[in-house]
Amino acid sequence: MTAPARPQGRLEGKIGPRHRDRLAAVYVRQSTAQQVHDHTESTRLQYGLAERAAALGWAASRVLVIDDDLGHSASGADARPGFQRLVSEVGLDHVGIVLGIEMSRLARSGREWHQLLELCALSGTLLGDPDGIYDPADHNDRLLLGLKGTISEALCRRRHKASYADIAVMPTTRCESAADLAGSDSRSA
């Protein structure tokens, strides 16, 4: 009996020469200076994505780290010059892959997230996070990215637009665990 065949291009095959000919963009963000100070591990992990780009085949000189929004809270793209720069670089076809710790947290709203997905799909730009590499032009990847974005936005709204949807990374005073979050939803229903 043979192992089931892996779907074409699921991981390694997604990244091709056309992607590596362009930049790998690493978007680094924390909402406040206090978060940058208190959550140094998150910041370190985000900057560490430059090493992941190298492991994926990008030369160090082809890795663009965008950290203009580090320590700046903003509710929309217009108040985040780093995000604007990322979108511009993708739109100008300069970027082959965008790397982030949690891809769905790149944008601050569902509208921004889906616009970024569309722009990446049109320009052939991949998205990558610790869970995998995604091609927004692939319908299965697009569905997964859309779901991640929707869940992230719902958690973020529930938690008053905190920087990360991961409660373990950034606990709040109102709810300290995913179970507390789920429990508070059932009580309010």
Side-chain angles (χ1 to χ4, degrees), residues 66-139:
I66 300 174
D67 59 4
D68 305 347
D69 298 337
L70 193 60
H72 298 284
S73 184
S75 60
D78 57 335
R80 291 183 294 134
F83 185 74
Q84 288 179 351
R85 180 177 178 202
L86 175 66
V87 169
S88 295
E89 294 290 343
V90 169
L92 292 169
D93 209 21
H94 294 169
V95 177
I97 190 169
V98 175
L99 296 171
I101 290 296
E102 190 176 341
M103 292 312 305
S104 61
R105 296 295 298 133
L106 283 176
R108 294 291 291 169
S109 71
R111 181 183 54 81
E112 286 178 6
W113 173 240
H114 287 282
Q115 287 176 338
L116 179 62
L117 287 181
E118 184 65 21
L119 189 57
C120 287
L122 292 171
S123 65
T125 300
L126 301 174
L127 297 170
D129 66 16
D131 293 332
I133 305 295
Y134 311 96
D135 181 354
D138 176 84
H139 68 278

Side-chain angles (χ1 to χ4, degrees), residues 163-182:
S163 253
Y164 289 92
D166 184 355
I167 294 167
V169 173
M170 180 148 320
T172 66
T173 56
R174 291 182 52 147
C175 61
E176 295 297 329
S177 70
D180 290 343
L181 182 64

Side-chain angles (χ1 to χ4, degrees), residues 40-58:
T40 56
E41 179 68 6
S42 176
T43 305
R44 185 190 66 75
L45 289 171
Q46 290 181 70
Y47 279 114
L49 291 170
E51 294 173 16
R52 178 153 189 234
L56 292 171
W58 271 267

